[in-house]
């Protein structure tokens, strides 16, 4: 591991801690506002009172901090995945072990988790809570020789190995595919979708922003550009997907907000 690699990991880890502390400060302010409004709800009717505007601003800040935390976490996990090849070293140790290795390995993993920053532990807990949820997943395609992004369902999250087991419920019409398929993927290959029933979890991507979105009537995600930000009445984005030309132009397609996520860093490198 080179010095620049270590510096990048430490920098992102410190940024996660900073974001987490800021979120805690904002949460305390929100709780204070809630108590104020619960005890004296009539205050909002007074001339010049800005309680509701203040509360809205705090929620906006909390949302932005949460989105930044997801972005930094994804970057950090990508850095770690690049430095720690999955499977190779662990399999080699199991072959040459004397029977006590599995126990030693588990103890080391547990201690590693305890040394994680509060933000990273919180991120692990969030992933564990995704069981049964649909997420966007970067899935290796052996035949195609590249990775693609699909909508899959989370089956299990292993905190020890930090791998997420997912189920591709609609693998396609290929009769040789054997129906639904399961994959074990690193955390950096998973992006949670915003919750359909919680608009506060939705991203607010501006026009011109590059995103990753589910192509209409499919379960595959592709790079797209935001043409029109989502409207509160429909909560749909108007997007133009790359390589989606029809008659020499890119058609504009409506995609629900809960099927649009940030474009992963380095997307071009593995497609």
């Amino acid at each position: 591991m080179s010095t620049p690699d270590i510096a990048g990991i430490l920098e992102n880890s410190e940024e996660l801690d900073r974001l987490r502390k800021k979120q805690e400060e904002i949460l305390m302010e929100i709780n204070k506002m809630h108590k104020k409004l619960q005890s004296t709800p009539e205050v909002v009717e007074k001339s010049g009172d800005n309680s509701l505007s203040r509360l809205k601003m705090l929620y906006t800040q909390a949302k932005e901090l949460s989105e930044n935390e997801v972005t930094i976490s994804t970057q950090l996990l990508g850095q770690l995945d690049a430095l720690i090849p999955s499977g190779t070293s662990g399999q080699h140790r199991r072959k040459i072990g004397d029977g006590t290795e599995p126990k030693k390995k588990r103890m080391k993993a547990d201690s590693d988790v305890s040394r994680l920053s509060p933000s990273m532990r919180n991120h692990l807990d969030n992933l564990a809570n995704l069981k049964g949820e649909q997420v966007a997943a970067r899935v290796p395609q052996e035949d195609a020789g590249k990775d693609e992004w699909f909508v899959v369902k989370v089956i299990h999250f292993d905190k020890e190995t930090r791998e997420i087991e997912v189920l591709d419920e609609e693998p396609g019409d290929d009769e040789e595919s054997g129906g639904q398929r399961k994959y074990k993927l690193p955390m950096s290959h998973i992006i949670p979708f915003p919750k359909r029933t919680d608009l506060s979890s939705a991203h607010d991507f501006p026009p011109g922003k590059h995103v990753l979105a589910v192509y209409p009537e499919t379960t595959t995600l592709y790079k797209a550009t935001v043409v029109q930000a989502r409207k509160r009445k429909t909560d749909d984005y108007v997007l133009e997907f790359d390589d989606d030309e029809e008659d020499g132009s890119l058609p504009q397609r409506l995609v629900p907000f809960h099927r649009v996520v940030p474009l992963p860093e380095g997307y071009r490198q593995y497609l």
Side-chain angles (χ1 to χ4, degrees):
M1 186 183 295
S2 65
T3 300
D5 293 331
I6 297 175
I9 290 173
L10 292 176
E11 181 179 352
N12 278 333
S13 181
E14 291 174 356
E15 179 64 10
L16 278 177
D17 282 336
R18 187 193 70 80
L19 289 171
R20 182 60 178 172
K21 291 176 181 177
K22 187 63 178 177
Q23 288 180 64
E24 292 175 351
E25 294 174 2
I26 296 295
L27 182 59
M28 290 179 62
E29 290 296 320
I30 290 175
N31 288 336
K32 289 180 181 179
M33 291 296 299
H34 283 174
K35 291 180 180 179
K36 175 184 176 182
L37 294 175
Q38 287 173 354
S39 61
T40 56
E42 66 278 2
V43 72
V44 297
E45 299 177 1
K46 295 182 178 179
S47 177
D49 182 77
N50 65 346
S51 298
L52 295 181
S53 298
R54 171 67 176 167
L55 188 60
K56 180 180 178 181
M57 182 189 70
L58 289 171
Y59 271 115
T60 300
Q61 291 178 340
K63 182 175 180 293
E64 291 175 351
L65 288 168
S66 179
E67 291 173 351
N68 290 339
E69 182 181 0
V70 171
T71 300
I72 297 298
S73 296
T74 302
Q75 292 177 4
L76 181 55
L77 292 171
Q79 291 171 317
L80 292 172
D81 281 338
L83 295 172
I84 308 174
S86 59
T88 305
S89 59
Q91 291 172 358
H92 181 65
R93 283 197 299 270
R94 284 196 291 274
K95 288 180 181 179
I96 64 175
D98 59 2
T100 61
E101 184 61 21
K103 183 176 180 181
K104 291 180 180 178
K105 182 179 179 182
R106 173 151 190 154
M107 291 173 63
K108 182 179 184 299
D110 290 342
S111 62
D112 285 346
V113 171
S114 67
R115 288 199 299 267
L116 291 175
S117 67
S119 296
M120 184 58 70
R121 289 200 298 271
N122 182 63
H123 186 61
L124 293 177
D125 291 337
N126 290 338
L127 289 173
N129 292 331
L130 287 175
K131 184 176 180 179
E133 299 283 341
Q134 286 190 332
V135 297
R138 174 185 163 190
V139 180
Q141 301 297 300
E142 297 179 1
D143 296 337
K146 62 180 181 181
D147 292 353
E148 294 185 0
W149 286 85
F150 297 120
V151 177
V152 299
K153 183 169 74 173
V154 175
I155 301 175
H156 176 68
F157 173 58
D158 190 331
K159 283 191 176 182
E160 183 178 329
T161 63
R162 300 181 196 174
E163 286 185 326
I164 299 176
E165 186 175 6
V166 300
L167 175 67
D168 184 1
E169 299 176 281
E170 298 182 24
D173 299 326
D174 185 1
E175 294 181 358
E176 297 180 359
S177 65
Q180 297 179 340
R181 299 187 62 180
K182 295 180 180 180
Y183 302 91
K184 288 187 177 182
L185 305 172
M187 293 186 297
S188 60
H189 286 210
I190 299 294
I191 302 179
F193 285 119
K195 293 186 180 298
R196 182 184 311 195
T197 57
D198 183 7
L199 293 179
S200 66
S201 69
H203 300 286
D204 285 320
F205 298 115
K209 183 73 172 179
H210 295 310
V211 296
L212 195 63
V214 179
Y215 191 85
E217 300 183 4
T218 75
T219 57
T220 306
L221 292 93
Y222 299 97
K223 180 183 176 184
T225 303
V226 176
V227 177
Q228 182 176 309
R230 68 185 182 92
K231 294 182 178 180
R232 293 294 179 180
K233 292 183 179 180
T234 62
D235 295 312
D236 289 340
Y237 280 101
V238 178
L239 305 177
E240 288 181 350
F241 285 87
D242 286 14
D243 303 322
D244 188 31
E245 290 188 13
E246 290 184 0
D247 300 326
S249 61
L250 293 176
Q252 297 182 356
R253 305 190 184 277
L254 286 176
V255 180
F257 78 91
H258 59 272
R259 284 294 184 257
V260 182
V261 296
L263 187 71
E265 184 179 4
Y267 178 83
R268 294 180 178 273
Q269 297 178 10
Y270 46 76
L271 277 187

